Amino acid sequence: MSSSIIHSTAPATRLVLLRHGQTDWNVAGRFQGQLDVGLNDVGRAQAEAAATAVQALAPDVVYSSNLSRALDTARLVTRTTGLEVNADERLQEINVGTWGGLTGTEMADREPGFAAALRNGTDFRRSPQGETADEVGTRMRLALTEIVGRHEGSTILVVSHGLAIRMACGYLLGWDFAHTWQLGPMGNCGWSVLVRTAERPWRLGAYNRVADVG
């Protein structure tokens, strides 16, 4: 009796998840959420520095949050490739509701349990009108699963936001909130890579890689 091992020849599917460049509100430590805050000069330089490394990954298709800081980052990163940037509002950052524009210090004064929740890795709703991190992870997982379904076997560049990418990585890997929160925050224009094949589920190939602005 003989046996044989059949190896799949189907190409891998690769997700490259890139955070947008710096904004003035990032520098000031203000909650941006889904408010449309644009890139500053440093953020544009970060996107240009990331372009070479991201283009070396040879993306076949590009998706972006429809917020301008993400869209402009996507356009700067891919401007020499001729790739169209597909805007998708499902890729937006966590909705912080009425907390938008506040600093962490202001939030700690307003919400006594805020700082402790961050320290302890406890999920919480970002204002009564906002989302939880778990809700963002679920939203991102569903959106990315649908996008990947259109482009199996391709390298897909997705430009999004710090918390949204962090949660997407964990939830695509099948982790819960507590395990996902152990991932560090994403830097401006940092990128992570997830790879899936016919034989293996999603695997984390890189996390929070950042190009040198120079």
Side-chain angles (χ1 to χ4, degrees):
M1 182 176 180
S2 63
S3 63
S4 61
I5 299 174
I6 300 174
H7 295 282
S8 171
T9 58
T13 301
R14 186 164 54 169
L15 269 175
V16 180
L17 303 173
L18 174 70
R19 187 188 177 196
H20 62 80
Q22 186 188 89
T23 72
D24 287 341
W25 280 26
N26 288 147
V27 177
R30 297 191 180 278
F31 285 96
Q32 297 178 123
Q34 297 179 355
L35 296 176
D36 201 5
V37 182
L39 296 175
N40 60 21
D41 289 342
V42 171
R44 284 184 282 273
Q46 289 171 331
E48 290 171 353
T52 300
V54 171
Q55 289 173 23
L57 297 171
D60 300 296
V61 63
V62 183
Y63 285 81
S64 173
S65 157
N66 63 340
L67 298 176
S68 63
R69 59 189 183 273
L71 269 177
D72 289 346
T73 298
R75 288 165 178 156
L76 285 167
V77 166
T78 61
R79 66 182 175 181
T80 63
T81 66
L83 292 171
E84 176 185 358
V85 178
N86 300 284
D88 191 327
E89 65 181 4
R90 298 175 299 172
L91 304 174
Q92 289 187 5
E93 181 60 296
I94 187 170
N95 184 352
V96 298
T98 56
W99 293 4
L102 298 176
T103 65
T105 300
E106 290 167 338
M107 277 307 310
D109 291 339
R110 248 186 218 209
E111 301 283 343
F114 166 75
L118 283 180
R119 277 197 312 272
N120 299 331
T122 303
D123 199 8
F124 54 92
R125 189 167 299 282
R126 275 65 170 175
S127 86
Q129 298 78 20
E131 292 178 294
T132 65
D134 174 72
E135 289 169 346
V136 177
T138 300
R139 163 164 62 82
M140 289 289 290
R141 177 177 55 78
L142 291 171
L144 292 172
T145 298
E146 192 271 331
I147 288 169
V148 166
R150 298 181 210 155
H151 306 286
E152 289 285 356
S154 301
T155 294
I156 307 161
L157 171 62
V158 174
V159 183
S160 184
H161 306 266
L163 187 143
I165 292 175
R166 185 178 182 183
M167 297 306 301
C169 286
Y171 278 37
L172 284 171
L173 291 166
W175 301 349
D176 60 12
F177 168 79
H179 287 90
T180 299
W181 208 244
Q182 294 180 44
L183 291 170
M186 293 287 297
N188 286 116
C189 275
W191 66 91
S192 298
V193 180
L194 290 163
V195 181
R196 186 178 74 182
T197 66
E199 295 81 17
R200 291 181 178 271
W202 288 113
R203 303 173 75 190
L204 188 62
Y207 186 76
N208 198 27
R209 298 284 303 276
V210 180
D212 184 4
V213 176

